[in-house]
Amino acid sequence: MRFAARWPWVTDFANQIDRTSRPRLIDLSIWLIALLSLIGLALMPKSEVFQIQVEATSAGELQLFFDQGAGFSETLSSTRTFGSGTQTLEFPLPAGESNRIRLDPSPGTDEIVLHRIGSSASELPVPFDNLSQAHEVASVLVTDASARVRMQDGAVDPQLLIHLDQPLGTDSGAATARDLLWQIFLACSVMLVVRNLNLPQISSLVFVSVAITLVVVMALLSPLVPSPHPDEFLHVADAQHFGTHWLPPSLGSGELAPSYTNNVYGVSYLYEWNIVYWFAGKAGSLASTIGLDPALAYRLFNAGLMGLVALTIVWARLPFTTLAVLLVTPQLWYVFAYFNGDAFPLAMACIAVAFASSRSGPVQTYISTGGRFPAQAVLFAIAMAMLLISKKNFLPAAVFASLWLCASCLRLRTTMASAAVAAFGICVCVATAGPALEAEFGLRWQIPALILFVTGVVLGARWFYEEWFVDYSRRPALIRFAYLHLIVVIIALPWIGADILQNGTGATKAQLVTELREQHAAYPFKPSTIINLPEQSQPGLQLAAKDVGLADTLRAPYSWIRGSFQSFFSAYGYMKFYGSGWLYALFGTSLGLLVLIGAISGLRGGAFGLRHLALIFGCSSVVIVAAALHSWTYDFQPQGRYVFGILPMLMPLFAAEPVRRGAMKGAFQAALLTAVALSTYSFIQIGLANLV
């Protein structure tokens, strides 16, 4: 009884499992078979693929056709998307022997440069002399290191033939084994879901355990040196600094030289308040005492954060369907599978929102009615403080969590919630791209922005007046809300203060960072190059200053919307390994259905009101707009992880009551199963297959 009274969430969790565990032995057996099939897939040798290293000035597609004696056909072809710059595209080889290959660039592609073409299993690439024009190709200029292919003007179906000196073949035995294991996993997953259609909490637990297993598999098996993951070596260098230090470093210190010289931007991630490197550095130091490589310890630290999020959702006594936030995109799995600066603030955002959105949970109960300060409120404050001293693109999640508490405990109505989000969005836009927006749009930006901001401030002041002066009974709740957020600031303040003592504030620190970039950055990335010789600078830097319009970055040839959407779901390595177009269409459809079902269910079931929906979609829009503006004004990087801040905001939708018991349950389960199947396929067949 004492245990149950002290740890009610453990008892509640056990009771939920016990009430639904009549034939659990069969389910456990099916789950173990599925898990073993996943491990088998992860450990199988990498599939042979046909690689094309392509350089282009704008985004496009390449479709590769294989001739196995019956001519070229769509059935023996695959398509890959490329962006501007140089990247390696990998095309799966069909079963059987292929004698010829045809390469079709997408319509609108003017020119591409091929640097390597050949099988991944062969060290010898296909000679560039084996290329020949087939249709609507103006010229092929061959050198020792590349082949420059120029299409005819107005080409709608350009074709390039690749002649093979010897047939390409796949290991049919390995392919059959891989397909068999994949089919076993899918069959087991379908069986588990069908057996538990009325028990979505069990299905969600099974899915999350599979996802965490895959994350750990990639963390353990992908190479440490050289790392195939984006800039992991730079993140590792910054974490290693805190293996022997306790306070934020002086940015001008020679101890940070490795970070500066290895980064083309000439700066370290430590120039911001990224406290994740402190935690990872200490974890690495502790792991090194037992002989574990610190770099591997950093990866396992990130993988553990994913498990921490799942545990928090259970502890907050949220419905298990809330775990869908960890299942809707494999890119989230990938972020937790190697060391980077995104996984920690993403986990903290999920934890903060979990505690804030738990209806009648300890945090909401404390603000509404008072009483003893609960442990969950302490953890909420810690998570919120960590968001303040982490990557800035996750800061809107902290604002969302606070506004959710206002809407749930302090009578923040729909109009006021919308105005608050609008005012916050204007502040974010000004901080991210204020001068650029003024130069681009002038009064068309200034007047609406001013109106929205003033409206938000006025309505906010009115709300505070009503809460404090009109209804005196609401004062205690408002005081407790302020007290909770004061604790947040107190927790974050020591780290911020230590950094200020080392590097100054505002303009002083910004000037120091500019000097470091000028000293250490590669020539195209130096501030002087960008200002004085913009044509020689990195093409994606400060597009706004190069007279590229904001709207131009959203569409071709920059294609920010397309690039961010695809990499939100499935893009691995240095944005090199993508899936086919159908994969992204299904990902978007499944997530859209989950959001729609959650919104309808929540409104019908009374889990939340219109004011809560205004917060969800409003704050999500702020995250997306901020990411687009950052790419426009600083560095063009259409990466889906920059909008990962919207994922924690979707958690209340997945927790809606009718999602678990109403008429929407079957549709929700079907959409979630689709998302999990797609995520698992992408992570194994694209991620693990190319990075392990």
Side-chain angles (χ1 to χ4, degrees):
M1 294 297 293
R2 291 181 179 178
F3 179 86
R6 187 169 184 179
W7 303 99
W9 69 276
V10 177
T11 305
D12 182 65
F13 175 78
N15 289 338
Q16 290 189 57
I17 298 299
D18 183 66
R19 287 196 303 266
T20 58
S21 60
R22 296 179 295 276
R24 285 286 76 87
L25 183 60
I26 296 176
D27 285 351
L28 179 61
S29 301
I30 296 173
W31 180 81
L32 287 175
I33 294 173
L35 190 61
L36 289 174
S37 66
L38 283 180
I39 295 174
L41 282 166
L43 296 178
M44 286 195 69
K46 182 179 176 181
S47 303
E48 183 180 356
V49 294
F50 195 82
Q51 297 177 326
I52 297 180
Q53 188 177 29
V54 59
E55 178 184 353
T57 57
S58 61
E61 291 182 346
L62 292 181
Q63 186 172 9
L64 206 62
F65 293 83
F66 298 90
D67 180 8
Q68 297 187 344
F72 298 110
S73 67
E74 292 283 343
T75 56
L76 294 178
S77 72
S78 57
T79 302
R80 292 292 181 267
T81 301
F82 61 84
S84 59
T86 302
Q87 56 220 277
T88 300
L89 307 181
E90 299 198 344
F91 299 82
L93 293 177
E97 289 191 346
S98 302
N99 302 303
R100 290 190 308 161
I101 296 177
R102 195 183 82 203
L103 181 63
D104 292 11
S106 57
T109 303
D110 297 325
E111 181 181 272
I112 57 174
V113 180
L114 305 177
H115 293 285
R116 185 189 187 280
I117 50 178
S119 168
S120 61
S122 173
E123 296 183 359
L124 297 176
V126 175
F128 293 121
D129 292 332
N130 289 19
L131 301 177
S132 64
Q133 303 159 236
H135 185 250
E136 294 187 336
V137 175
S139 63
V140 180
L141 180 60
V142 175
T143 66
D144 292 338
S146 66
R148 185 177 296 273
V149 182
R150 181 179 294 276
M151 267 52 76
Q152 295 178 1
D153 293 338
V156 295
D157 187 24
Q159 300 174 5
L160 187 70
L161 284 178
I162 303 175
H163 301 277
L164 302 174
D165 294 331
Q166 57 184 10
L168 281 176
T170 59
D171 185 348
S172 58
T176 301
R178 188 175 291 105
D179 290 341
L180 178 61
L181 289 173
W182 176 241
Q183 292 168 9
I184 290 173
F185 170 77
L186 285 181
C188 291
S189 298
V190 172
M191 289 174 63
L192 283 172
V193 173
V194 170
R195 286 175 55 82
N196 295 285
L197 277 176
N198 294 321
L199 308 170
Q201 63 270 32
I202 302 299
S203 301
S204 300
L205 284 174
V206 170
F207 293 153
V208 168
S209 62
V210 169
I212 293 176
T213 300
L214 289 174
V215 166
V216 173
V217 167
M218 178 171 283
L220 293 175
L221 299 184
S222 58
L224 290 172
V225 181
S227 170
H229 309 300
D231 296 333
E232 186 177 31
F233 69 100
L234 295 174
H235 295 289
V236 168
D238 288 340
Q240 288 175 336
H241 172 83
F242 287 108
T244 54
H245 296 78
W246 289 87
L247 296 176
S250 170
L251 295 180
S253 170
E255 296 176 331
L256 297 181
S259 295
Y260 297 147
T261 56
N262 291 326
N263 191 334
V264 294
Y265 293 90
V267 294
S268 164
Y269 294 114
L270 301 182
Y271 82 94
E272 292 186 336
W273 300 330
N274 286 325
I275 198 171
V276 58
Y277 301 105
W278 187 93
F279 287 108
K282 298 309 175 188
S285 296
L286 183 63
S288 64
T289 61
I290 59 174
L292 189 65
D293 190 317
L296 181 58
Y298 303 153
R299 288 185 181 178
L300 295 178
F301 168 79
N302 267 16
L305 291 172
M306 185 175 179
L308 181 62
V309 172
L311 181 62
T312 300
I313 290 173
V314 174
W315 185 19
R317 307 179 79 172
L318 291 170
F320 288 177
T321 50
T322 315
L323 293 168
V325 71
L326 299 176
L327 301 171
V328 293
T329 166
Q331 197 66 22
L332 178 144
W333 304 358
Y334 184 46
V335 165
F336 283 113
Y338 74 97
F339 184 58
N340 54 76
D342 295 283
F344 181 78
L346 175 59
M348 295 300 105
C350 289
I351 291 171
V353 172
F355 288 136
S357 63
S358 179
R359 297 179 65 195
S360 301
V363 177
Q364 289 194 16
T365 300
Y366 168 74
I367 293 176
S368 299
T369 63
R372 182 179 177 182
F373 197 78
Q376 287 194 11
V378 175
L379 296 179
F380 169 80
I382 292 174
M384 291 283 283
M386 295 303 101
L387 284 174
L388 295 183
I389 48 181
S390 295
K391 289 189 69 171
K392 295 178 181 177
N393 52 303
F394 288 94
L395 187 59
V399 175
F400 171 80
S402 293
L403 290 176
W404 188 276
L405 288 175
C406 288
S408 301
C409 307
L410 299 175
R411 300 186 308 184
L412 186 71
R413 293 185 290 272
T414 303
T415 302
M416 294 182 181
S418 302
V421 172
F424 171 64
I426 295 301
C427 292
V428 170
C429 290
V430 170
T432 306
L437 289 170
E438 291 184 13
E440 175 84 3
F441 301 105
L443 292 177
R444 289 178 297 161
W445 148 254
Q446 294 171 337
I447 294 177
L450 182 61
I451 292 174
L452 286 175
F453 180 76
V454 171
T455 301
V457 172
V458 170
L459 289 180
R462 175 189 171 188
W463 169 79
F464 178 79
Y465 175 81
E466 291 177 350
E467 291 290 301
W468 187 262
F469 293 103
V470 177
D471 188 352
Y472 294 100
S473 65
R474 304 302 303 166
R475 279 190 181 182
L478 193 59
I479 292 173
R480 287 188 291 269
F481 176 84
Y483 175 64
L484 179 60
H485 285 75
L486 177 62
I487 294 175
V488 172
V489 174
I490 291 173
I491 294 173
L493 200 57
W495 187 260
I496 297 173
D499 181 77
I500 291 175
L501 289 176
Q502 292 278 24
N503 303 297
T505 61
T508 302
K509 186 176 181 181
Q511 179 62 32
L512 176 59
V513 172
T514 300
E515 293 173 358
L516 290 170
R517 290 178 58 200
E518 186 64 35
Q519 180 180 354
H520 298 287
Y523 177 75
F525 295 84
K526 290 182 180 293
S528 59
T529 305
I530 298 171
I531 295 172
N532 301 321
L533 297 168
E535 69 280 358
Q536 297 182 18
S537 67
Q538 178 71 8
L541 286 176
Q542 298 187 18
L543 293 178
K546 297 175 181 177
D547 296 326
V548 177
L550 175 59
D552 295 330
T553 65
L554 304 180
R555 53 178 179 255
Y558 294 98
S559 303
W560 183 88
I561 294 177
R562 179 181 181 179
S564 296
F565 177 80
Q566 290 185 336
S567 57
F568 181 86
F569 291 107
S570 179
Y572 301 92
Y574 283 84
M575 307 290 287
K576 290 170 54 178
F577 306 110
Y578 286 84
S580 301
W582 63 266
L583 183 66
Y584 300 102
L586 289 177
F587 267 129
T589 301
S590 62
L591 179 57
L593 285 174
L594 289 171
V595 171
L596 179 62
I597 293 169
I600 295 174
S601 299
L603 289 176
R604 285 183 176 178
F608 44 74
L610 286 175
R611 63 190 184 280
H612 295 94
L613 282 185
L615 294 178
I616 293 172
F617 294 115
C619 289
S620 296
S621 299
V622 171
V623 173
I624 295 171
V625 170
L629 292 177
H630 181 270
S631 280
W632 179 47
T633 58
Y634 179 63
D635 186 15
F636 185 75
Q637 292 187 1
Q639 296 188 33
R641 67 182 59 197
Y642 288 164
V643 297
F644 265 13
I646 70 176
L647 287 173
M649 302 175 192
L650 300 181
M651 292 170 62
L653 298 180
F654 301 147
E657 185 77 11
V659 161
R660 295 173 284 137
R661 295 192 175 93
M664 296 284 188
K665 180 178 61 179
F668 184 89
Q669 282 291 94
L672 181 58
L673 174 61
T674 301
V676 172
L678 294 171
S679 296
T680 306
Y681 168 83
S682 168
F683 198 81
I684 294 174
Q685 298 294 85
I686 303 174
L688 287 173
N690 289 290
L691 301 177
V692 172

